[in-house]
Short mmCIF file of all heavy atoms in Angstrom, two decimals:
data_model
loop_
_atom_site.label_atom_id
_atom_site.label_comp_id
_atom_site.label_asym_id
_atom_site.label_seq_id
_atom_site.Cartn_x
_atom_site.Cartn_y
_atom_site.Cartn_z
N MET A 1 10.02 58.93 20.25
CA MET A 1 9.97 58.21 21.50
C MET A 1 8.78 58.62 22.38
O MET A 1 8.23 57.79 23.07
CB MET A 1 11.25 58.49 22.29
CG MET A 1 12.45 57.72 21.73
SD MET A 1 12.11 55.98 21.40
CE MET A 1 13.69 55.27 21.77
N SER A 2 8.39 59.82 22.32
CA SER A 2 7.27 60.30 23.12
C SER A 2 5.98 59.57 22.73
O SER A 2 5.09 59.39 23.52
CB SER A 2 7.06 61.83 23.02
OG SER A 2 6.86 62.17 21.67
N LEU A 3 5.93 59.17 21.48
CA LEU A 3 4.78 58.46 20.96
C LEU A 3 4.62 57.12 21.71
O LEU A 3 3.55 56.72 22.08
CB LEU A 3 4.92 58.24 19.46
CG LEU A 3 3.66 57.68 18.73
CD1 LEU A 3 2.57 58.69 18.85
CD2 LEU A 3 3.98 57.39 17.30
N PHE A 4 5.76 56.39 21.90
CA PHE A 4 5.75 55.14 22.57
C PHE A 4 5.30 55.32 24.01
O PHE A 4 4.58 54.53 24.54
CB PHE A 4 7.11 54.45 22.51
CG PHE A 4 7.42 53.84 21.13
CD1 PHE A 4 8.31 54.47 20.28
CD2 PHE A 4 6.66 52.76 20.71
CE1 PHE A 4 8.56 53.94 19.05
CE2 PHE A 4 6.92 52.23 19.43
CZ PHE A 4 7.88 52.81 18.63
N ARG A 5 5.86 56.36 24.64
CA ARG A 5 5.49 56.61 26.02
C ARG A 5 3.98 56.84 26.19
O ARG A 5 3.34 56.32 27.03
CB ARG A 5 6.26 57.82 26.58
CG ARG A 5 5.82 58.22 27.95
CD ARG A 5 6.77 59.23 28.58
NE ARG A 5 8.10 58.65 28.82
CZ ARG A 5 9.00 59.23 29.58
NH1 ARG A 5 8.78 60.36 30.16
NH2 ARG A 5 10.15 58.65 29.79
N LYS A 6 3.44 57.63 25.30
CA LYS A 6 1.99 57.91 25.35
C LYS A 6 1.19 56.61 25.12
O LYS A 6 0.23 56.37 25.79
CB LYS A 6 1.63 58.90 24.26
CG LYS A 6 0.22 59.38 24.37
CD LYS A 6 0.01 60.69 23.56
CE LYS A 6 -1.39 61.26 23.84
NZ LYS A 6 -1.59 62.59 23.24
N ALA A 7 1.67 55.76 24.21
CA ALA A 7 1.00 54.51 23.95
C ALA A 7 1.00 53.66 25.16
O ALA A 7 0.04 52.97 25.51
CB ALA A 7 1.71 53.78 22.80
N GLY A 8 2.09 53.64 25.92
CA GLY A 8 2.19 52.89 27.15
C GLY A 8 1.22 53.35 28.21
O GLY A 8 0.56 52.53 28.84
N GLU A 9 1.01 54.64 28.31
CA GLU A 9 0.08 55.21 29.29
C GLU A 9 -1.35 54.84 28.92
O GLU A 9 -2.19 54.68 29.73
CB GLU A 9 0.23 56.71 29.33
CG GLU A 9 1.56 57.13 29.95
CD GLU A 9 1.77 58.63 29.80
OE1 GLU A 9 0.96 59.28 29.16
OE2 GLU A 9 2.74 59.10 30.37
N LYS A 10 -1.56 54.67 27.64
CA LYS A 10 -2.90 54.37 27.18
C LYS A 10 -3.16 52.84 27.13
O LYS A 10 -4.27 52.40 26.83
CB LYS A 10 -3.07 54.88 25.71
CG LYS A 10 -3.31 56.39 25.69
CD LYS A 10 -4.76 56.71 26.01
CE LYS A 10 -5.07 58.20 25.79
NZ LYS A 10 -6.48 58.48 26.20
N PHE A 11 -2.14 52.08 27.44
CA PHE A 11 -2.25 50.64 27.23
C PHE A 11 -3.45 50.00 28.01
O PHE A 11 -4.22 49.24 27.40
CB PHE A 11 -0.97 49.97 27.63
CG PHE A 11 -1.05 48.45 27.41
CD1 PHE A 11 -0.99 47.95 26.13
CD2 PHE A 11 -1.11 47.60 28.50
CE1 PHE A 11 -1.09 46.56 25.92
CE2 PHE A 11 -1.16 46.19 28.28
CZ PHE A 11 -1.10 45.72 27.00
N GLU A 12 -3.55 50.30 29.25
CA GLU A 12 -4.65 49.67 30.05
C GLU A 12 -6.03 50.00 29.44
O GLU A 12 -6.91 49.16 29.29
CB GLU A 12 -4.59 50.15 31.49
CG GLU A 12 -3.44 49.52 32.26
CD GLU A 12 -3.56 47.99 32.30
OE1 GLU A 12 -4.69 47.46 32.46
OE2 GLU A 12 -2.53 47.33 32.12
N GLU A 13 -6.17 51.24 29.06
CA GLU A 13 -7.45 51.66 28.43
C GLU A 13 -7.68 50.94 27.14
O GLU A 13 -8.79 50.43 26.87
CB GLU A 13 -7.38 53.18 28.22
CG GLU A 13 -8.66 53.75 27.58
CD GLU A 13 -8.51 55.25 27.35
OE1 GLU A 13 -7.81 55.89 28.13
OE2 GLU A 13 -9.03 55.75 26.35
N THR A 14 -6.62 50.85 26.34
CA THR A 14 -6.72 50.16 25.03
C THR A 14 -7.07 48.70 25.21
O THR A 14 -7.87 48.15 24.50
CB THR A 14 -5.41 50.31 24.27
OG1 THR A 14 -5.13 51.70 24.11
CG2 THR A 14 -5.53 49.65 22.88
N LYS A 15 -6.43 48.06 26.18
CA LYS A 15 -6.61 46.66 26.39
C LYS A 15 -8.07 46.34 26.65
O LYS A 15 -8.59 45.36 26.18
CB LYS A 15 -5.75 46.19 27.58
CG LYS A 15 -5.65 44.70 27.71
CD LYS A 15 -4.54 44.28 28.61
CE LYS A 15 -4.83 44.75 30.07
NZ LYS A 15 -3.81 44.27 30.98
N GLN A 16 -8.76 47.22 27.37
CA GLN A 16 -10.15 47.00 27.70
C GLN A 16 -11.04 47.24 26.47
O GLN A 16 -12.19 46.81 26.40
CB GLN A 16 -10.58 47.92 28.81
CG GLN A 16 -9.85 47.53 30.14
CD GLN A 16 -10.33 48.35 31.31
OE1 GLN A 16 -11.29 49.08 31.24
NE2 GLN A 16 -9.68 48.19 32.43
N SER A 17 -10.47 47.95 25.49
CA SER A 17 -11.22 48.20 24.26
C SER A 17 -11.23 47.03 23.32
O SER A 17 -11.98 46.98 22.35
CB SER A 17 -10.63 49.40 23.54
OG SER A 17 -10.73 50.51 24.42
N PHE A 18 -10.41 46.03 23.57
CA PHE A 18 -10.37 44.88 22.67
C PHE A 18 -11.74 44.21 22.60
O PHE A 18 -12.14 43.72 21.52
CB PHE A 18 -9.35 43.85 23.17
CG PHE A 18 -7.95 44.16 22.81
CD1 PHE A 18 -6.92 44.04 23.72
CD2 PHE A 18 -7.61 44.68 21.53
CE1 PHE A 18 -5.60 44.36 23.39
CE2 PHE A 18 -6.34 44.97 21.20
CZ PHE A 18 -5.33 44.84 22.09
N VAL A 19 -12.45 44.20 23.66
CA VAL A 19 -13.74 43.51 23.68
C VAL A 19 -14.72 44.14 22.66
O VAL A 19 -15.41 43.41 21.98
CB VAL A 19 -14.34 43.55 25.09
CG1 VAL A 19 -15.73 42.92 25.07
CG2 VAL A 19 -13.43 42.82 26.08
N SER A 20 -14.66 45.41 22.56
CA SER A 20 -15.55 46.09 21.67
C SER A 20 -14.97 46.13 20.23
O SER A 20 -15.65 46.54 19.28
CB SER A 20 -15.82 47.52 22.10
OG SER A 20 -14.67 48.31 22.10
N GLY A 21 -13.73 45.67 20.03
CA GLY A 21 -13.16 45.59 18.74
C GLY A 21 -12.70 46.91 18.17
O GLY A 21 -12.52 47.04 16.99
N ARG A 22 -12.48 47.92 19.03
CA ARG A 22 -12.13 49.20 18.52
C ARG A 22 -10.66 49.21 17.99
O ARG A 22 -10.37 49.86 17.01
CB ARG A 22 -12.29 50.28 19.57
CG ARG A 22 -12.29 51.67 19.02
CD ARG A 22 -12.46 52.72 20.10
NE ARG A 22 -11.30 52.71 21.02
CZ ARG A 22 -11.22 53.57 22.05
NH1 ARG A 22 -12.13 54.43 22.26
NH2 ARG A 22 -10.14 53.50 22.86
N LYS A 23 -9.78 48.51 18.69
CA LYS A 23 -8.43 48.50 18.28
C LYS A 23 -7.74 47.19 18.67
O LYS A 23 -7.81 46.79 19.85
CB LYS A 23 -7.65 49.68 18.91
CG LYS A 23 -6.21 49.73 18.54
CD LYS A 23 -5.60 50.99 19.04
CE LYS A 23 -4.10 51.06 18.72
NZ LYS A 23 -3.84 51.05 17.30
N ALA A 24 -7.12 46.53 17.74
CA ALA A 24 -6.40 45.31 18.01
C ALA A 24 -5.43 45.03 16.88
O ALA A 24 -5.51 45.61 15.79
CB ALA A 24 -7.37 44.12 18.10
N GLU A 25 -4.44 44.21 17.12
CA GLU A 25 -3.43 43.97 16.09
C GLU A 25 -3.80 42.78 15.22
O GLU A 25 -3.20 42.58 14.18
CB GLU A 25 -2.09 43.70 16.78
CG GLU A 25 -1.56 44.93 17.53
CD GLU A 25 -0.22 44.65 18.12
OE1 GLU A 25 0.42 43.70 17.71
OE2 GLU A 25 0.17 45.43 19.05
N TYR A 26 -4.77 42.03 15.64
CA TYR A 26 -5.17 40.86 14.82
C TYR A 26 -6.66 40.81 14.68
O TYR A 26 -7.44 41.32 15.52
CB TYR A 26 -4.73 39.54 15.56
CG TYR A 26 -3.19 39.53 15.67
CD1 TYR A 26 -2.59 39.95 16.84
CD2 TYR A 26 -2.39 38.99 14.67
CE1 TYR A 26 -1.23 39.92 16.95
CE2 TYR A 26 -1.07 38.91 14.76
CZ TYR A 26 -0.45 39.41 15.92
OH TYR A 26 0.91 39.37 16.01
N VAL A 27 -7.07 40.17 13.64
CA VAL A 27 -8.50 40.10 13.37
C VAL A 27 -8.85 38.75 12.81
O VAL A 27 -8.04 38.11 12.10
CB VAL A 27 -8.98 41.23 12.46
CG1 VAL A 27 -8.37 41.05 11.06
CG2 VAL A 27 -10.50 41.28 12.33
N CYS A 28 -10.04 38.28 13.07
CA CYS A 28 -10.46 37.00 12.48
C CYS A 28 -11.21 37.24 11.18
O CYS A 28 -12.13 38.05 11.13
CB CYS A 28 -11.40 36.29 13.50
SG CYS A 28 -12.21 34.84 12.76
N ARG A 29 -10.76 36.61 10.15
CA ARG A 29 -11.40 36.81 8.85
C ARG A 29 -12.74 36.19 8.80
O ARG A 29 -13.66 36.56 8.01
CB ARG A 29 -10.56 36.20 7.73
CG ARG A 29 -9.37 37.05 7.38
CD ARG A 29 -8.64 36.52 6.15
NE ARG A 29 -8.03 35.22 6.40
CZ ARG A 29 -8.40 34.06 5.84
NH1 ARG A 29 -9.39 34.07 4.96
NH2 ARG A 29 -7.80 32.93 6.10
N ALA A 30 -13.01 35.17 9.62
CA ALA A 30 -14.29 34.42 9.56
C ALA A 30 -15.41 35.25 10.18
O ALA A 30 -16.50 35.35 9.59
CB ALA A 30 -14.13 33.07 10.24
N CYS A 31 -15.19 35.75 11.39
CA CYS A 31 -16.28 36.48 12.10
C CYS A 31 -16.00 37.97 12.16
O CYS A 31 -16.84 38.70 12.65
CB CYS A 31 -16.52 35.94 13.48
SG CYS A 31 -15.12 36.13 14.59
N GLU A 32 -14.82 38.40 11.72
CA GLU A 32 -14.44 39.82 11.65
C GLU A 32 -14.35 40.50 13.01
O GLU A 32 -14.52 41.70 13.15
CB GLU A 32 -15.40 40.60 10.71
CG GLU A 32 -15.34 40.07 9.29
CD GLU A 32 -16.18 40.99 8.38
OE1 GLU A 32 -17.04 41.70 8.86
OE2 GLU A 32 -15.96 40.89 7.15
N LYS A 33 -14.10 39.68 14.04
CA LYS A 33 -13.86 40.26 15.39
C LYS A 33 -12.36 40.40 15.59
O LYS A 33 -11.56 39.59 15.12
CB LYS A 33 -14.50 39.33 16.45
CG LYS A 33 -15.97 39.38 16.42
CD LYS A 33 -16.59 38.71 17.60
CE LYS A 33 -18.08 38.76 17.54
NZ LYS A 33 -18.70 38.24 18.81
N SER A 34 -11.99 41.42 16.39
CA SER A 34 -10.58 41.64 16.64
C SER A 34 -10.16 40.79 17.84
O SER A 34 -10.96 40.57 18.79
CB SER A 34 -10.33 43.14 16.95
OG SER A 34 -11.17 43.58 17.99
N VAL A 35 -8.91 40.35 17.80
CA VAL A 35 -8.36 39.58 18.93
C VAL A 35 -7.00 40.18 19.31
O VAL A 35 -6.41 40.92 18.56
CB VAL A 35 -8.23 38.12 18.57
CG1 VAL A 35 -9.62 37.45 18.34
CG2 VAL A 35 -7.39 37.91 17.34
N ASP A 36 -6.53 39.87 20.50
CA ASP A 36 -5.37 40.54 21.01
C ASP A 36 -4.04 39.82 20.67
O ASP A 36 -2.97 40.36 20.93
CB ASP A 36 -5.45 40.77 22.53
CG ASP A 36 -5.56 39.43 23.27
OD1 ASP A 36 -5.75 38.41 22.60
OD2 ASP A 36 -5.49 39.46 24.51
N LYS A 37 -4.10 38.69 20.06
CA LYS A 37 -2.89 38.01 19.60
C LYS A 37 -3.20 37.03 18.46
O LYS A 37 -4.41 36.85 18.12
CB LYS A 37 -2.16 37.34 20.72
CG LYS A 37 -2.96 36.15 21.34
CD LYS A 37 -2.16 35.49 22.44
CE LYS A 37 -2.86 34.32 23.01
NZ LYS A 37 -2.10 33.66 24.06
N GLU A 38 -2.18 36.49 17.87
CA GLU A 38 -2.42 35.66 16.70
C GLU A 38 -2.74 34.23 17.18
O GLU A 38 -1.92 33.31 17.22
CB GLU A 38 -1.17 35.64 15.81
CG GLU A 38 -1.44 34.97 14.47
CD GLU A 38 -0.31 35.23 13.51
OE1 GLU A 38 0.81 35.55 13.94
OE2 GLU A 38 -0.57 35.11 12.25
N TYR A 39 -4.03 34.04 17.45
CA TYR A 39 -4.51 32.72 17.88
C TYR A 39 -4.46 31.75 16.68
O TYR A 39 -4.66 32.15 15.52
CB TYR A 39 -5.92 32.80 18.36
CG TYR A 39 -6.12 33.52 19.64
CD1 TYR A 39 -6.49 34.86 19.64
CD2 TYR A 39 -5.91 32.88 20.88
CE1 TYR A 39 -6.68 35.61 20.88
CE2 TYR A 39 -6.11 33.52 22.05
CZ TYR A 39 -6.45 34.86 22.05
OH TYR A 39 -6.61 35.55 23.23
N ASP A 40 -4.17 30.47 16.99
CA ASP A 40 -4.32 29.46 15.89
C ASP A 40 -5.76 29.35 15.49
O ASP A 40 -6.09 29.16 14.31
CB ASP A 40 -3.81 28.06 16.41
CG ASP A 40 -2.30 28.03 16.53
OD1 ASP A 40 -1.62 28.85 15.81
OD2 ASP A 40 -1.77 27.28 17.28
N HIS A 41 -6.62 29.39 16.47
CA HIS A 41 -8.08 29.39 16.19
C HIS A 41 -8.72 30.58 16.88
O HIS A 41 -8.45 30.85 18.07
CB HIS A 41 -8.72 28.09 16.68
CG HIS A 41 -8.18 26.86 15.90
ND1 HIS A 41 -6.98 26.26 16.21
CD2 HIS A 41 -8.68 26.20 14.91
CE1 HIS A 41 -6.80 25.22 15.35
NE2 HIS A 41 -7.83 25.17 14.55
N CYS A 42 -9.65 31.19 16.24
CA CYS A 42 -10.35 32.36 16.78
C CYS A 42 -11.03 32.01 18.06
O CYS A 42 -11.79 31.03 18.11
CB CYS A 42 -11.33 32.82 15.73
SG CYS A 42 -12.35 34.18 16.33
N PRO A 43 -10.84 32.79 19.14
CA PRO A 43 -11.53 32.56 20.43
C PRO A 43 -13.02 32.86 20.35
O PRO A 43 -13.74 32.46 21.25
CB PRO A 43 -10.81 33.47 21.40
CG PRO A 43 -10.27 34.59 20.57
CD PRO A 43 -9.94 33.92 19.21
N HIS A 44 -13.46 33.55 19.30
CA HIS A 44 -14.86 33.89 19.18
C HIS A 44 -15.65 32.82 18.41
O HIS A 44 -16.73 32.36 18.84
CB HIS A 44 -15.01 35.22 18.46
CG HIS A 44 -14.32 36.33 19.16
ND1 HIS A 44 -14.73 36.87 20.39
CD2 HIS A 44 -13.20 37.06 18.84
CE1 HIS A 44 -13.92 37.84 20.74
NE2 HIS A 44 -13.00 37.97 19.84
N CYS A 45 -15.13 32.42 17.27
CA CYS A 45 -15.90 31.52 16.43
C CYS A 45 -15.17 30.16 16.22
O CYS A 45 -15.79 29.23 15.71
CB CYS A 45 -16.16 32.17 15.07
SG CYS A 45 -14.69 32.36 14.07
N GLY A 46 -13.89 30.04 16.59
CA GLY A 46 -13.20 28.77 16.54
C GLY A 46 -12.60 28.48 15.17
O GLY A 46 -11.94 27.45 14.99
N GLU A 47 -12.72 29.39 14.24
CA GLU A 47 -12.16 29.16 12.92
C GLU A 47 -10.67 29.50 12.91
O GLU A 47 -10.22 30.45 13.60
CB GLU A 47 -12.85 30.04 11.85
CG GLU A 47 -14.29 29.67 11.62
CD GLU A 47 -14.44 28.34 10.95
OE1 GLU A 47 -13.58 27.98 10.12
OE2 GLU A 47 -15.38 27.60 11.25
N PRO A 48 -9.83 28.77 12.16
CA PRO A 48 -8.42 29.11 12.03
C PRO A 48 -8.17 30.23 11.04
O PRO A 48 -7.51 30.06 10.07
CB PRO A 48 -7.81 27.76 11.53
CG PRO A 48 -8.88 27.17 10.72
CD PRO A 48 -10.20 27.60 11.37
N ALA A 49 -8.72 31.38 11.37
CA ALA A 49 -8.75 32.50 10.42
C ALA A 49 -8.19 33.81 10.98
O ALA A 49 -8.46 34.84 10.43
CB ALA A 49 -10.17 32.66 9.88
N VAL A 50 -7.43 33.68 12.08
CA VAL A 50 -6.92 34.91 12.70
C VAL A 50 -5.64 35.34 11.90
O VAL A 50 -4.75 34.56 11.65
CB VAL A 50 -6.56 34.65 14.16
CG1 VAL A 50 -5.85 35.89 14.76
CG2 VAL A 50 -7.78 34.30 14.95
N GLU A 51 -5.62 36.65 11.57
CA GLU A 51 -4.52 37.19 10.79
C GLU A 51 -4.10 38.53 11.34
O GLU A 51 -4.97 39.26 11.88
CB GLU A 51 -4.89 37.33 9.32
CG GLU A 51 -5.07 36.07 8.58
CD GLU A 51 -5.18 36.26 7.09
OE1 GLU A 51 -5.47 37.40 6.70
OE2 GLU A 51 -4.98 35.27 6.37
N PRO A 52 -2.84 38.94 11.17
CA PRO A 52 -2.44 40.28 11.59
C PRO A 52 -3.17 41.33 10.70
O PRO A 52 -3.39 41.12 9.52
CB PRO A 52 -0.92 40.30 11.26
CG PRO A 52 -0.52 38.89 11.19
CD PRO A 52 -1.70 38.12 10.69
N ILE A 53 -3.53 42.44 11.33
CA ILE A 53 -4.23 43.45 10.57
C ILE A 53 -3.31 44.06 9.52
O ILE A 53 -3.78 44.33 8.40
CB ILE A 53 -4.76 44.56 11.55
CG1 ILE A 53 -5.91 43.98 12.37
CG2 ILE A 53 -5.19 45.80 10.81
CD1 ILE A 53 -6.46 44.94 13.38
N ASP A 54 -2.07 44.23 9.81
CA ASP A 54 -1.14 44.68 8.80
C ASP A 54 -0.67 43.52 7.99
O ASP A 54 -0.23 43.63 6.91
CB ASP A 54 0.05 45.40 9.46
CG ASP A 54 -0.27 46.86 9.68
OD1 ASP A 54 -1.17 47.38 9.03
OD2 ASP A 54 0.40 47.47 10.53
ZN1 ZN B 101 -13.70 34.35 14.44
#
């Protein structure tokens, strides 16, 4: 449980890291940029290639 609490404290910092692509749950296969949710179309390149990293 302490792991989740620590993740919550880090959330704001992590969220700002999405822009640099350091950590995200989804990624676009077309342009290989990370995105913060499973978009139908990639917000970066517009391709329908966003997939969960896992
Ligand atoms: Zn893309």
Side-chain angles (χ1 to χ4, degrees):
M1 285 311 216
S2 60
L3 189 65
F4 285 108
R5 174 169 293 194
K6 187 163 187 173
E9 291 171 354
K10 283 281 187 182
F11 181 70
E12 286 302 319
E13 180 182 326
T14 302
K15 193 166 64 175
Q16 295 185 7
S17 300
F18 280 138
V19 176
S20 64
R22 196 179 64 178
K23 182 173 176 62
E25 294 182 18
Y26 298 93
V27 66
C28 171
R29 283 186 295 113
C31 65
E32 298 187 341
K33 291 190 178 186
S34 57
V35 295
D36 61 351
K37 65 179 183 180
E38 191 168 20
Y39 291 96
D40 286 337
H41 294 81
C42 174
H44 300 291
C45 69
E47 292 294 324
V50 177
E51 291 190 342
I53 287 178
D54 274 339

